[in-house]
Amino acid sequence: MYNLIIYLYLLGVAVYSRFNEKVRKMWRGERDTFRVLREQVDPNARYVWFHAASLGEFEQGRPLMEQMRREHPDIKILLTFFSPSGYEVRKNYEGADIICYLPLDTIRNARRFLRLIRPELAFFIKYEFWYNYLHILKHRGVPVYSVSSIFRDGQVFFRWYGRQYGRVLKCFTHFYVQNEKSRELLASIGLTNVTITGDTRFDRVLQVKETPLSGPVGPTIDLFLGRKTIEAPSGAVGGASSGAVEGVSRVFIAGSSWQPDEEIFIRYFNEHPDWKLIIAPHVISEDHLQQIEKLLEGRKVIRYSRVAPSGAVGGASVLIIDCFGLLSTIYRYADVTYVGGGFGVGIHNTLEAAVWDVPVIFGPNNQRFQEAQKLKAAGGGFEISSYEDFSRLMDRFNSDPSFLRQAGERAGNYVKGEAGATQLILSDIRL
């Protein structure tokens, strides 16, 4: 049944690729993978394979890849993606030796792929459970690890009708899960090769915080904010909250926002022009950018792509980030942050914002995200369900500097307290 579904899916992708650019990139990339491998694989090298569905999973795997490279410089790393949103952004990532799409999980594709790579280890990040790849890896005796994985009651593995497919979980050598609930669920179907290590995303966002800005992003944001960057003390990091820049206006940064999010916070800031506003929307299309600009009424708006080459901000008080890959570093400039998606399928990455010692606001659909729940409990995250909720919270941040400062400190302390998963995982694995 699984293989029939995969072939039907393959047919659907082939047809849909004619009408959708993102799907077309994935279709072409998967078909090109075997050429890439034939050209780039060193038959005498030792490979470790990391697979990430998309960009978020890549960020979870990145600390593992980079520490493994430091500890085992003789090992080569293969990095595969399923989604174009991961591959297109990170196809030039220097931490891997080969980067390509993962061909769809047919038996033929899995055999061809593994015959070319012959990995010594394989890491599947968070939610990746490809039946044919995993069974062939197990048959060949290759250790396979599920890292930063998290399991929930509603998943197919724990339903009566999904027990047959759930056998795929027996292919893993070990699970490094995020929480106790995941361990209990795996134990309920007889799997005890499980260690609770937490989420490697905490290690990743702390790495980002410790990495100096490079390229045009820092000068561009400073130019927009009208601030002069000052040198931080040794060991300190940048950020409006940490005192690494000087200026007057407070800064609100909205990351991965969707239209329902934007309709709430833009309404507030249209009435509070003393705040500088930076928006990094989840969807960067001309239609969406124009929708945002229309909501901003009489405020002067400029796009990042137009500031970076020209150096001209023209008195703008709103900056729209119209490219990918900058958000995690831009949060350092915020006094208050907002993470989008909570009025849709679910919120995006709150840790990228919280690590900068700033409060994080998000919408109501956050129950499935344990970091958001814990961030709320710590006093650094704030859920809103309406414009009125948002307005009351922002009014308090405006009028109570100590409340703003304490909320930011609690957010940052929560992130620091959850770090360490990368070391726990790699100390348990032998090459």
Side-chain angles (χ1 to χ4, degrees):
M1 178 62 71
Y2 174 85
N3 287 316
L4 175 60
I5 293 171
I6 286 293
Y7 279 109
L8 290 174
Y9 179 81
L10 182 63
L11 177 61
V13 168
V15 173
Y16 194 41
S17 67
R18 297 176 178 271
F19 309 100
N20 183 283
E21 177 62 24
K22 182 177 179 179
V23 175
R24 185 157 53 250
K25 287 180 179 179
M26 181 179 74
W27 174 246
R28 290 174 177 171
E30 288 183 4
R31 295 175 70 188
D32 198 42
T33 290
F34 295 111
R35 179 195 60 79
V36 171
L37 296 180
R38 285 193 298 270
E39 292 178 356
Q40 297 188 23
V41 168
D42 179 351
N44 299 313
R46 302 167 63 200
Y47 282 92
V48 173
W49 173 27
F50 285 83
H51 176 64
S54 191
L55 189 58
E57 290 78 13
F58 163 78
E59 291 297 329
Q60 286 177 295
R62 185 169 179 169
L64 293 164
M65 285 185 277
E66 293 180 355
Q67 185 164 330
M68 180 170 285
R69 184 178 285 279
R70 287 192 296 270
E71 294 178 357
H72 303 279
D74 58 316
I75 292 293
K76 289 186 178 292
I77 291 176
L78 166 70
L79 170 62
T80 59
F81 288 98
F82 180 74
S83 168
S85 60
Y87 175 80
E88 294 299 328
V89 176
R90 295 303 182 200
K91 60 186 176 183
N92 296 317
Y93 170 59
E94 295 181 352
D97 297 281
I98 303 174
I99 303 173
C100 59
Y101 283 92
L102 181 67
L104 201 61
D105 188 27
T106 66
I107 295 174
R108 181 172 182 268
N109 281 348
R111 285 174 175 166
R112 289 179 67 195
F113 181 90
L114 293 171
R115 192 179 299 122
L116 285 166
I117 289 296
R118 302 186 182 278
E120 294 194 9
L121 301 177
F123 292 84
F124 284 60
I125 302 165
K126 197 173 182 177
Y127 290 135
E128 293 300 276
F129 308 107
W130 294 108
Y131 192 90
N132 291 315
Y133 282 104
L134 287 167
H135 275 87
I136 295 172
L137 284 165
K138 182 179 181 181
H139 177 74
R140 294 187 175 193
V142 178
V144 185
Y145 303 98
S146 176
V147 297
S148 290
S149 46
I150 188 166
F151 294 90
R152 301 182 179 89
D153 291 305
Q155 287 175 297
V156 65
F157 315 115
F158 313 111
R159 300 288 188 175
W160 64 267
Y161 54 80
R163 291 301 173 90
Q164 183 174 0
Y165 175 68
R167 294 173 185 169
V168 71
L169 298 181
K170 297 183 184 296
C171 295
F172 284 97
T173 306
H174 205 87
F175 295 87
Y176 296 98
V177 300
Q178 294 188 30
N179 56 23
E180 173 64 21
K181 178 66 173 178
S182 297
R183 188 197 66 76
E184 292 173 354
L185 285 169
L186 290 171
S188 73
I189 57 173
L191 295 172
T192 58
N193 51 333
V194 182
T195 303
I196 302 171
T197 55
D199 190 345
T200 51
R201 281 186 302 168
F202 290 92
D203 300 323
R204 175 58 192 153
V205 296
L206 286 165
Q207 284 180 347
V208 172
K209 187 177 182 181
E210 294 165 1
T211 303
L213 280 173
S214 60
V217 59
T220 300
I221 303 297
D222 286 335
L223 184 66
F224 163 71
L225 296 176
R227 292 174 168 176
K228 181 177 72 173
T229 303
I230 59 177
E231 185 159 348
S234 176
V237 297
S241 302
S242 65
V245 292
E246 56 184 15
V248 178
S249 297
R250 283 182 171 177
V251 182
F252 180 89
I253 298 182
S256 302
S257 62
W258 296 78
Q259 187 172 349
D261 306 300
E262 293 149 5
E263 289 173 348
I264 288 177
F265 66 74
I266 287 176
R267 176 181 169 187
Y268 182 87
F269 290 107
N270 281 342
E271 300 170 2
H272 295 78
D274 53 315
W275 281 73
K276 292 271 193 174
L277 180 57
I278 299 176
I279 305 172
H282 183 74
V283 176
I284 299 176
S285 66
E286 185 60 30
D287 286 346
H288 190 199
L289 297 178
Q290 289 183 14
Q291 286 175 352
I292 295 172
E293 290 167 344
K294 186 176 181 180
L295 287 171
L296 285 159
E297 296 179 350
R299 297 199 68 169
K300 179 69 174 178
V301 184
I302 194 165
R303 301 183 188 181
Y304 177 86
S305 62
R306 296 173 184 172
V307 179
S310 67
V313 294
S317 61
V318 181
L319 176 66
I320 298 176
I321 308 299
D322 55 345
C323 56
F324 292 111
L326 302 181
L327 181 57
S328 61
T329 59
I330 288 174
Y331 277 130
R332 75 182 66 208
Y333 289 94
D335 292 285
V336 179
T337 63
Y338 182 99
V339 174
F343 289 91
V345 296
I347 59 172
H348 297 285
N349 192 337
T350 54
L351 302 181
E352 289 181 340
V355 74
W356 295 104
D357 303 312
V358 290
V360 186
I361 306 171
F362 39 80
N365 190 357
N366 59 73
Q367 287 74 26
R368 294 185 297 109
F369 302 88
Q370 67 171 2
E371 65 275 10
Q373 298 298 306
K374 291 184 177 181
L375 196 55
K376 286 194 295 182
F382 300 86
E383 177 184 320
I384 58 113
S385 297
S386 64
Y387 171 77
E388 289 71 26
D389 289 347
F390 182 82
S391 180
R392 282 192 295 269
L393 180 59
M394 286 302 305
D395 284 347
R396 186 173 180 191
F397 285 144
N398 266 320
S399 61
D400 191 344
S402 64
F403 174 64
L404 174 60
R405 183 182 64 257
Q406 289 171 7
E409 290 173 353
R410 289 167 178 168
N413 288 338
Y414 162 66
V415 175
K416 289 191 282 285
E418 296 286 331
T422 300
Q423 186 57 44
L424 288 172
I425 293 168
L426 291 184
S427 65
D428 197 43
I429 293 173
R430 296 289 179 267
L431 275 170

